[in-house]
Amino acid sequence: MSDNIDLSFLDNAPAAIMFVKIEKNENNEVTSFSYKYTNQKLKEVGIVVDCQVFEKTLIDVLNSENKEELKVCVKVATEGEDTLTDHYFSVSCWQPNPEYCGCIFKDITKERRAETNKTIEIENSNVILQNTAELLIDFDLRQLNIECLKEKRYIPVIDCTDLEGAIDLRPCTLAEGSIKKFVKMLDALTNYTMQVKGKLKIQTGNSDKYEWYEIRLCREGQRIVGCGRNINSSMLELERLQLQAERDSLTGILNHKAAERLIESNHIKEAGSMFLMDIDDFKTINDTHGHPNGDEVIKNMADILQYSFRQDDIIYRIGGDEFGVFAPGFCEYEEINERCKLLFSEIEGFGRRIPFSASVGVAINDPYMTSSYKKLYKRADEALYSAKHGGKGKAFIDIN
């Protein structure tokens, strides 16, 4: 390629083109770089070379950040090895003639900046995850089988507890009670809710137990992405406080407020029976044997009730020497009467140091008639009053 060859046919080419001549001395040492040709497209993409700098060396024209590309030009011109380098432009280089390097530039500034920003974003996300999240959730809605999820109870997550190591994609198992909550969260997202959050019990791949996580999910097209933060310690403490607030401190069974709330919300429209009991002559027991022994009688009564009734029955202490039980499904007079006989038998044969008896009032709940806990309680209390007037250790059943 001679210096005066006509390359004007490349002036309006759609690609940015430049030819660079590599000058050497008699010792084959590179002495300078000079432009021999640039077209219009090269100027449009941001490498401006006009007649004032034409024939000047590239070292004079380009800043230090571009010197790596000068090295590429030297290699191509002297060794004839085609290559591709990347800076703000991708530069395809070839050897048209010995001592010449042809270059085609493609502007990749936008892509490079997007890539750089993405890298920064990922790094920032990793820092955030390392400090705020232990689980990262990412899956395609189109590949999610809800029935399979319900059966196998696992979701794909990334364990972010050790971001310095390899990030591990592993399935996490949902606790039985958390499956419906997770499906509801997905349903909300498929109905175009922007973001949902919930508390789920999850067993991660590196744990042998279920722990509480606060999960935040959002939808990006057909993808569900989100993160999870371990809140197990705070949830266990909350459960402890709730249990403490719901339990009677002396006997460990439910207190009156907790039982009333549970029966009112879950059972008042359910057929069953309410048993109310109090210990006969409890004041005399306290006066004769002392309050510590009176407390022992209270605890004995709670133990007897838990033994005499079913596991799903709601057993609670109303206060003082009064107790209550709601037994779902107990509607027939005969089965209620048999349960009362069992209770009296257990009280009599419990083998205590201090003998005692108890009176029982029972109201059968009609879910079509009873509208509140208080109304059912009032009927059972009136039945208890009737039992006490019938003598100690008696039961009265209100079947109305």
Side-chain angles (χ1 to χ4, degrees):
M1 175 183 282
S2 64
D3 290 353
N4 55 4
I5 189 172
D6 183 12
L7 297 174
S8 59
F9 68 93
L10 296 174
D11 288 349
N12 296 315
I17 301 173
M18 176 178 72
F19 287 96
V20 179
K21 185 174 182 181
I22 310 300
E23 304 287 352
K24 292 185 177 182
N25 60 21
E26 61 275 7
N27 296 323
N28 203 31
E29 297 171 338
V30 176
T31 56
S32 68
F33 306 81
S34 60
Y35 287 108
K36 288 303 175 184
Y37 175 79
T38 61
N39 70 347
Q40 182 62 32
K41 189 67 175 179
L42 187 70
K43 299 173 184 178
E44 292 175 5
V45 297
I47 298 181
V48 180
V49 181
D50 57 30
C51 58
Q52 294 181 350
V53 297
F54 205 80
E55 293 293 343
K56 286 187 178 181
T57 66
L58 287 180
I59 293 177
D60 295 332
V61 175
L62 300 178
N63 60 39
S64 60
E65 290 183 355
N66 291 326
K67 286 183 180 179
E68 284 301 315
E69 288 170 11
L70 296 181
K71 294 178 183 177
V72 174
C73 291
V74 172
K75 186 173 182 180
V76 173
T78 57
E79 300 177 14
E81 181 180 343
D82 295 353
T83 188
L84 175 69
T85 186
D86 222 36
H87 195 58
Y88 293 100
F89 301 86
S90 64
V91 186
S92 298
C93 301
W94 78 101
Q95 183 188 41
N97 273 323
E99 299 184 357
Y100 281 85
C101 174
C103 305
I104 297 180
F105 291 79
K106 178 184 177 183
D107 186 359
I108 60 166
T109 305
K110 184 177 180 180
E111 292 86 345
R112 177 57 61 85
R113 286 175 180 169
E115 189 177 308
T116 301
N117 291 338
K118 186 65 175 178
T119 301
I120 294 172
E121 182 181 332
I122 291 173
E123 291 174 352
N124 290 340
S125 297
N126 284 346
V127 172
I128 293 171
L129 287 171
Q130 194 171 19
N131 289 280
T132 63
E134 287 83 23
L135 301 178
L136 187 62
I137 300 169
D138 189 348
F139 59 86
D140 193 323
L141 268 177
R142 292 165 295 190
Q143 298 176 356
L144 181 67
N145 186 318
I146 295 295
E147 294 306 316
C148 182
L149 169 67
K150 291 178 179 178
E151 179 184 350
K152 296 186 177 179
R153 308 204 320 267
Y154 70 77
I155 53 175
V157 303
I158 295 175
D159 187 351
C160 301
T161 52
D162 182 14
L163 286 176
E164 294 180 359
I167 294 180
D168 185 16
L169 183 65
R170 62 183 69 186
C172 285
T173 307
L174 289 166
E176 190 71 38
S178 292
I179 298 172
K180 288 184 179 179
K181 291 182 183 178
F182 186 68
V183 171
K184 284 184 178 180
M185 291 171 70
L186 294 180
D187 287 342
L189 289 174
T190 54
N191 290 324
Y192 303 103
T193 302
M194 295 297 293
Q195 183 176 338
V196 294
K197 68 176 181 178
K199 296 179 177 67
L200 306 175
K201 290 195 82 170
I202 298 174
Q203 181 185 26
T204 60
N206 57 2
S207 175
D208 58 354
K209 61 182 179 179
Y210 288 95
E211 295 187 331
W212 283 103
Y213 284 83
E214 183 180 66
I215 302 295
R216 294 176 180 267
L217 299 176
C218 61
R219 181 174 176 175
E220 295 181 358
Q222 293 298 320
R223 289 176 61 233
I224 299 294
V225 295
C227 62
R229 181 171 60 91
N230 191 303
I231 56 170
N232 198 58
S233 296
S234 58
M235 287 297 291
L236 291 179
E237 177 64 14
L238 181 61
E239 287 176 352
R240 186 188 69 79
L241 293 174
Q242 287 177 338
L243 185 64
Q244 187 177 18
E246 293 175 350
R247 297 285 168 174
D248 175 63
S249 58
L250 180 61
T251 62
I253 61 177
L254 288 173
N255 60 36
H256 193 190
K257 285 186 178 180
E260 178 179 351
R261 186 167 55 248
L262 181 60
I263 295 168
E264 184 80 63
S265 60
N266 296 341
H267 299 285
I268 201 62
K269 294 301 180 182
E270 181 179 358
S273 294
M274 178 176 286
F275 295 71
L276 292 187
M277 294 141 283
D278 73 5
I279 299 170
D280 297 323
D281 298 325
F282 183 69
K283 184 178 182 303
T284 303
I285 294 174
N286 268 338
D287 293 342
T288 305
H289 300 282
H291 287 281
N293 286 314
D295 288 345
E296 283 300 313
V297 170
I298 294 292
K299 289 190 281 187
N300 287 338
M301 185 64 185
D303 292 339
I304 290 168
L305 290 175
Q306 291 179 90
Y307 182 81
S308 301
F309 286 88
R310 301 166 302 178
Q311 186 175 0
D312 293 338
D313 295 335
I314 300 170
I315 302 169
Y316 56 104
R317 183 183 177 196
I318 297 170
D321 63 324
E322 292 184 271
F323 295 83
V325 177
F326 183 82
F330 265 54
C331 304
E332 300 297 328
Y333 178 87
E334 289 301 325
E335 63 182 352
I336 295 171
N337 192 45
E338 288 300 316
R339 188 64 52 165
C340 290
K341 289 181 180 179
L342 172 63
L343 177 61
F344 291 141
S345 175
E346 289 299 325
I347 292 174
E348 186 177 352
F350 196 69
R352 301 160 315 290
R353 289 187 303 108
I354 303 171
F356 66 88
S357 63
S359 299
V360 182
V362 185
I364 299 175
N365 184 41
D366 183 346
Y368 299 102
M369 299 293 292
T370 307
S371 59
S372 69
Y373 171 87
K374 286 182 170 57
K375 288 185 176 181
L376 181 62
Y377 180 88
K378 184 174 183 295
R379 287 178 50 218
D381 191 48
E382 290 172 350
L384 177 61
Y385 181 81
S386 298
K388 280 190 164 296
H389 277 71
K392 298 175 185 178
K394 301 294 183 181
F396 185 87
I397 304 170
D398 178 5
I399 60 174
N400 296 321

